Amino acid sequence: MRNSIVISIIGTLFSKVLSEQCWSKELGFECCKSCVTQYTDEDGQWGYEDDWCGIPESCNSSKKECFTSEYPCCSECKVIYTDEEGDWGYENNEWCGIKDTCKVATKTTSTKVIASPTPTNEPTCWAEKLGYKCCNECTVTYNDENGDWGFENGEWCGILRTCSVSSDINLEKPYEAIPDPEKIHTRDYARILNLNLRFYECNWSGKAPEHKQVYWRYDSALEDGADVGLDLTGGYYDAGDHVKFNLPMSYAMTMLAWGGIDLYDNYVAAGQIDYLVQIVNHGADYFVKCHPEKEVIYAQVGLGDVDHCFWVPPELMEMERPAVCKLTPENGASDVTAQMAAALASASILNKKYGNEEKAELYLKHAIEIYDFADKYRDVYGNPCPEGASFYPSASYKDELVWGAAWVYRASGDEKYYEKADSYYDSLGLSGRVLIGPISWDDASSGIIFLMSKPGFGSNWKRYLGEAQTYVDQYLNDKSARTDAGMLWYSAVSGWGSARHAMAGTFLYCIFNTYHNPTDPKYFNFIQQQADYILGNNPFDRSLVVGSIPGHDPLNVHHRGSHGGYSPISPPEHNMYTLYGALAGGPLQDDTWDDDRNNYITNEVSCDYNAGVTGVMAYLTPWTVPDNFQVDESEPEADAHLILNIEKSWADVYRIIAEVETKLPTPAWEIEIALPKGHVFDDYSATNCDVVSYDEASGILRFKNTPWNGPLTANLTQSFGYQCHGVNEEEGIVLPDHARLYYPKNKSYKNMRLTLLSEEGEILETKDRE
């Protein structure tokens, strides 16, 4: 249960009537009867009691030994509950604030609901020893170090350990579109949340993170920006390709940060807040690099038409990756720059909440400057950046101008940005129109009304709440906006990557529930229904999240890095690596879906695809039901076998045909061998391989397979040839002193098995390991 809900309960139960007049009267709002603060702005502190009200000055007038003015200070240091205000105790039948002098050894910060153990009979419960009653029901509202708590008849109570407690919420389904047959699916939302975040590490560009969760990714694209004298490394590859398009990337980062800001406690409970901040900051740091001067912004690295000609892992890219789409006062683009401003502003808020003030200030500075550029030099980025717009065409910059202003206002508190957002919403023709779809990289309109409907978000937030309410009811009640089995379907956009749009739309319901806490369960139930469809409860009986359910998840999403092969796109049959957490494109409206790598319309993945589903899983984390699905995350051993065949020899010259067999699922390998003493490599004699280096003094020869030879897959033999001279006639040809397999960039696999065969195929010598 989130802290804000508990605070609201506490405020309702234990409010004190304050009869004085207060500052909010002049603004048309009543004085609060309690001192429970829900929101603070430049006017003062606000509470919410059927409507917004002003916190009286007397709440802050007296200096106390503890943080709370409304409640007494505790005489003891026993912490019963912790929220954003501080630590609470309970004495003399009322709540009290823990004194500042207390050194509390244990604080309760978890919001995750965990089921209690279920031993045999227990006529009383542990809570009675703490002065509380036993609960009549088994509904868990809160966990701390004592046990599971419920809230009944206006009082906290202890959950009996004989309860069979379920962390799932069982609510009446508002629709019968998806029945509940016995299907293989999961409700382990916390585990899926981690996988969803890992996808961004799979698409990570630049120096690999120090502590990786994805073993098969390494450094890549370390020269980005060199062509313009800048360091533009970092950020994320767009989808199954390796271009860095700032428009969809900044949209994805904004969505991730938004979920982190408003669902912060859920991320903490799931143990994912550090990982989320790392993912968001890697994108934000890249956007800072893309803004080297106040009115100079780069919006793209790499060329789509060139990049798409090379089906290779990112570590092995050799194509040119120019920094393109340079935006200046002469070539403005409001859509991509305002979206970048939104990403940096939201990253600033997240980092401030996380306690990283330095990053928060840096990101906000760039967010303001980039937004001012977007507002001043208005144009769609298809004009200055036609190459990028051919892949991500932007219909308008109007929505991004409002969206960016709203986020900069939320991050800075500067009223002028709220005035821009509110006035632009009307003047740019966004007000009152029929919203036809979810938030996306091309249209932030629906996201705007939910963001600006946050209680206290500027003076006009109730107006946006009305539009948000219309939106959630519209799609809840319109059964035509569904696939046959119930997944959200937006006719204008769902034909391509339908699942990402369904999850982006569902994320808005999560924000609506978080901001407004509707009592009608149909909104929550709808969220869970949509998530369950994605996670396997669907007619095709497959989860659309890679790595979520072994054997029942996508195996062949359209993604170069996880496929692991070179062109052509087809072999190997299944992707070599697990693309953790990636959301596959999704089904057609008749709920048919084909796990086909060649179909990038229904089976590609993308940074913007995962932006919505990550937030949905974060929202549902308190209702996680742990599953028993285990994904093998161990790095496979190379188990490499180097077989040397004598092709021909005369005098002291011999030619070797070498065959490499390995179970390491990778197409990109280098072999290092140490030629026996006296043997010399003949330059330029390598066949079907490229020489990386040869040190004549040590006799160490290093070579690599060439891309056009095809993929080196599990148990697939790759052949190459080389020629040497200097063989001792008496000794004959002998095995190298050692051999090593490398992939990629000097990652060494030493466990090689070496075999030397005669011209007749007989084994002359074997070394099992180095």
Side-chain angles (χ1 to χ4, degrees):
M1 187 173 190
R2 286 172 291 283
N3 292 343
S4 60
I5 300 175
V6 178
I7 294 170
S8 177
I9 293 172
I10 295 170
T12 301
L13 291 174
F14 306 105
S15 62
K16 294 183 178 180
V17 177
L18 300 172
S19 59
E20 66 199 284
Q21 298 294 312
C22 62
W23 53 271
S24 62
K25 287 281 191 179
E26 299 178 0
L27 301 175
F29 296 90
E30 295 296 324
C31 301
C32 295
K33 296 177 181 180
S34 74
C35 294
V36 179
T37 301
Q38 298 281 6
Y39 178 72
T40 301
D41 61 15
E42 64 274 10
D43 295 315
Q45 295 175 312
W46 294 87
Y48 192 83
E49 299 169 355
D50 297 326
D51 197 358
W52 288 96
C53 55
I55 300 295
E57 292 295 334
S58 60
C59 287
N60 304 309
S61 60
S62 59
K63 178 68 175 177
K64 297 186 67 177
E65 296 179 276
C66 60
F67 62 90
T68 175
S69 298
E70 180 184 2
Y71 303 100
C73 299
C74 299
S75 61
E76 299 180 355
C77 295
K78 183 176 179 58
V79 177
I80 299 296
Y81 175 70
T82 298
D83 61 19
E84 62 265 26
E85 292 187 42
D87 296 325
W88 296 87
Y90 195 80
E91 297 176 357
N92 301 318
N93 296 319
E94 67 174 337
W95 290 96
C96 56
I98 300 296
K99 292 180 181 179
D100 298 337
T101 55
C102 285
K103 301 295 184 182
V104 181
T106 304
K107 287 189 176 182
T108 301
T109 57
S110 174
T111 62
K112 184 175 181 179
V113 174
I114 304 171
S116 299
T118 56
T120 56
N121 294 326
E122 186 183 44
T124 61
C125 67
W126 53 270
E128 291 184 338
K129 300 174 183 178
L130 301 175
Y132 296 87
K133 296 179 180 179
C134 304
C135 296
N136 295 318
E137 304 292 337
C138 293
T139 303
V140 177
T141 300
Y142 181 70
N143 293 116
D144 66 11
E145 67 275 12
N146 296 306
D148 296 327
W149 295 86
F151 198 87
E152 297 177 358
N153 302 318
E155 294 182 341
W156 292 97
C157 56
I159 301 291
L160 288 169
R161 290 195 170 93
T162 52
C163 279
S164 178
V165 179
S166 172
S167 57
D168 185 18
I169 290 183
N170 184 19
L171 299 174
E172 182 182 357
K173 290 186 177 298
Y175 297 107
E176 296 302 325
I178 302 181
D180 288 323
E182 291 296 324
K183 288 182 174 292
I184 296 180
H185 65 287
T186 178
R187 280 185 167 174
D188 195 344
Y189 306 120
R191 183 176 69 85
I192 304 302
L193 174 60
N194 170 259
L195 292 179
N196 292 151
L197 290 173
R198 277 201 237 183
F199 166 73
Y200 290 95
E201 193 175 311
C202 294
N203 266 36
W204 185 287
S205 181
K207 190 74 175 174
E210 182 178 356
H211 303 290
K212 299 189 299 181
Q213 294 193 30
V214 179
Y215 74 83
W216 50 270
R217 283 304 322 280
Y218 299 88
D219 298 350
S220 61
L222 298 181
E223 299 299 319
D224 282 359
D227 60 312
V228 293
L230 296 172
D231 175 10
L232 298 182
T233 59
Y236 296 95
Y237 301 121
D238 176 53
D241 59 355
H242 302 132
V243 183
K244 295 192 294 195
F245 294 106
N246 286 19
L247 180 59
M249 190 198 307
S250 54
Y251 157 76
M253 294 300 105
T254 306
M255 291 283 280
L256 289 179
W258 191 4
I261 295 164
D262 287 324
L263 302 170
Y264 191 89
D265 289 346
N266 290 14
Y267 272 99
V268 172
Q272 300 303 314
I273 190 62
D274 295 340
Y275 200 21
L276 171 71
V277 172
Q278 178 189 33
I279 295 296
V280 170
N281 286 4
H282 186 62
D285 288 341
Y286 167 70
F287 296 140
V288 169
K289 292 179 180 181
C290 289
H291 182 221
E293 301 176 37
K294 189 172 184 178
E295 293 192 337
V296 174
I297 300 165
Y298 285 88
Q300 184 176 326
V301 174
L303 296 170
D305 288 334
V306 174
D307 179 274
H308 290 187
C309 293
F310 295 89
W311 185 267
V312 295
E315 290 82 2
L316 304 174
M317 293 186 296
E318 295 182 353
M319 78 288 284
E320 292 184 4
R321 293 176 53 81
V324 295
C325 194
K326 181 179 180 181
L327 304 174
T328 65
E330 292 74 31
N331 295 287
S334 302
D335 35 24
V336 64
T337 49
Q339 187 66 264
M340 288 172 64
L344 285 162
S346 57
S348 174
I349 300 169
L350 178 62
N351 275 270
K352 187 173 183 178
K353 200 173 182 75
Y354 187 68
N356 194 338
E357 294 287 344
E358 184 177 351
K359 284 284 190 184
E361 292 176 5
L362 173 67
Y363 296 155
L364 180 57
K365 172 183 178 294
H366 284 271
I368 291 172
E369 290 183 359
I370 292 175
Y371 181 81
D372 290 345
F373 178 95
D375 196 19
K376 187 176 181 181
Y377 307 110
R378 298 186 181 187
D379 200 353
V380 290
Y381 94 118
N383 291 327
C385 307
E387 200 279 338
S390 66
F391 292 90
Y392 287 94
S394 175
S396 170
Y397 59 75
K398 296 176 181 180
D399 51 308
E400 282 87 6
L401 275 183
V402 181
W403 178 243
W407 275 111
V408 171
Y409 164 69
R410 186 171 182 182
S412 67
D414 190 334
E415 196 68 29
K416 77 176 183 181
Y417 291 102
Y418 179 78
E419 293 172 358
K420 286 177 183 289
D422 194 38
S423 62
Y424 289 175
Y425 189 74
D426 288 327
S427 65
L428 296 178
L430 298 180
S431 176
R433 69 176 183 148
V434 177
L435 297 170
I436 60 172
I439 184 173
S440 70
W441 56 263
D442 184 37
D443 192 351
S445 301
S446 55
I448 291 167
I449 63 171
F450 285 87
L451 175 64
M452 296 185 69
S453 76
K454 181 177 173 62
F457 192 96
S459 59
N460 210 13
W461 66 271
K462 288 187 177 180
R463 173 260 192 102
Y464 295 97
L465 172 57
E467 294 200 23
Q469 185 72 60
T470 299
Y471 183 97
V472 293
D473 289 339
Q474 171 186 339
Y475 286 107
L476 197 65
N477 296 321
D478 184 2
K479 293 187 179 180
S480 67
R482 299 282 189 283
T483 64
D484 292 346
M487 188 188 80
L488 266 174
W489 183 274
Y490 301 90
S491 59
V493 295
S494 289
W496 189 311
S498 60
R500 52 101 177 247
H501 292 302
M503 287 295 96
T506 302
F507 175 71
L508 297 181
Y509 281 79
C510 299
I511 292 297
F512 180 80
N513 272 15
T514 301
Y515 286 172
H516 307 296
N517 301 314
T519 57
D520 192 330
K522 65 184 179 184
Y523 301 111
F524 171 83
N525 202 64
F526 177 72
I527 293 168
Q528 192 172 54
Q529 179 198 46
Q530 294 299 308
D532 286 356
Y533 183 103
I534 295 298
L535 296 178
N537 193 11
N538 52 52
F540 48 91
D541 203 20
R542 297 276 294 277
S543 171
L544 290 171
V545 176
V546 180
S548 57
I549 307 177
H552 291 267
D553 63 330
L555 298 176
N556 299 308
V557 290
H558 185 93
H559 188 269
R560 289 159 173 76
S562 66
H563 176 240
Y566 288 108
S567 297
I569 189 174
S570 296
E573 178 183 359
H574 298 310
N575 289 358
M576 295 181 183
Y577 302 111
T578 303
L579 188 64
Y580 301 109
L583 179 67
L588 301 178
Q589 194 167 9
D590 62 0
D591 298 290
T592 58
W593 175 74
D594 187 15
D595 191 9
D596 181 2
R597 184 182 308 118
N598 293 278
N599 191 338
Y600 47 82
I601 292 177
T602 62
N603 215 32
E604 192 167 14
V605 296
S606 174
C607 284
D608 79 277
Y609 283 26
N610 266 54
V613 68
T614 304
V616 172
M617 296 305 145
Y619 174 81
L620 289 171
T621 289
W623 296 278
T624 279
V625 180
D627 58 37
N628 296 315
F629 299 128
Q630 298 293 328
V631 177
D632 184 7
E633 302 175 36
S634 60
E635 184 170 2
E637 289 290 339
D639 195 18
H641 188 190
L642 178 63
I643 304 171
L644 306 180
N645 295 270
I646 302 173
E647 185 181 63
K648 59 181 179 179
S649 64
W650 62 93
D652 67 343
V653 179
Y654 65 93
R655 184 168 183 79
I656 293 294
I657 297 297
E659 295 180 347
V660 178
E661 295 178 346
T662 178
K663 293 182 180 179
L664 181 70
T666 171
W669 52 264
E670 295 182 3
I671 294 291
E672 176 186 280
I673 63 174
L675 297 178
K677 187 175 181 179
H679 294 225
V680 179
F681 173 68
D682 289 343
D683 292 341
Y684 310 112
S685 67
T687 304
N688 293 332
C689 63
D690 293 331
V691 175
V692 176
S693 62
Y694 171 58
D695 183 359
E696 189 170 355
S698 64
I700 294 179
L701 168 66
R702 190 162 172 174
F703 46 86
K704 65 181 180 179
N705 67 328
T706 49
W708 47 86
N709 282 341
L712 177 68
T713 61
N715 300 315
L716 178 67
T717 298
Q718 186 75 42
S719 299
F720 60 91
Y722 65 89
Q723 182 170 296
C724 291
H725 68 273
V727 62
N728 185 310
E729 291 187 14
E730 294 181 1
E731 185 180 41
I733 301 171
V734 296
L735 281 175
D737 292 337
H738 77 260
R740 292 181 181 177
L741 177 73
Y742 290 90
Y743 172 82
K745 307 297 182 185
N746 291 325
K747 179 173 177 57
S748 175
Y749 294 91
K750 299 179 181 180
N751 52 327
M752 297 280 300
R753 181 158 48 100
L754 310 179
T755 299
L756 178 64
L757 302 180
S758 69
E759 291 182 275
E760 292 76 25
E762 298 177 353
I763 297 177
L764 300 178
E765 185 180 1
T766 297
K767 289 182 180 179
D768 287 334
R769 302 291 174 189
E770 182 189 17

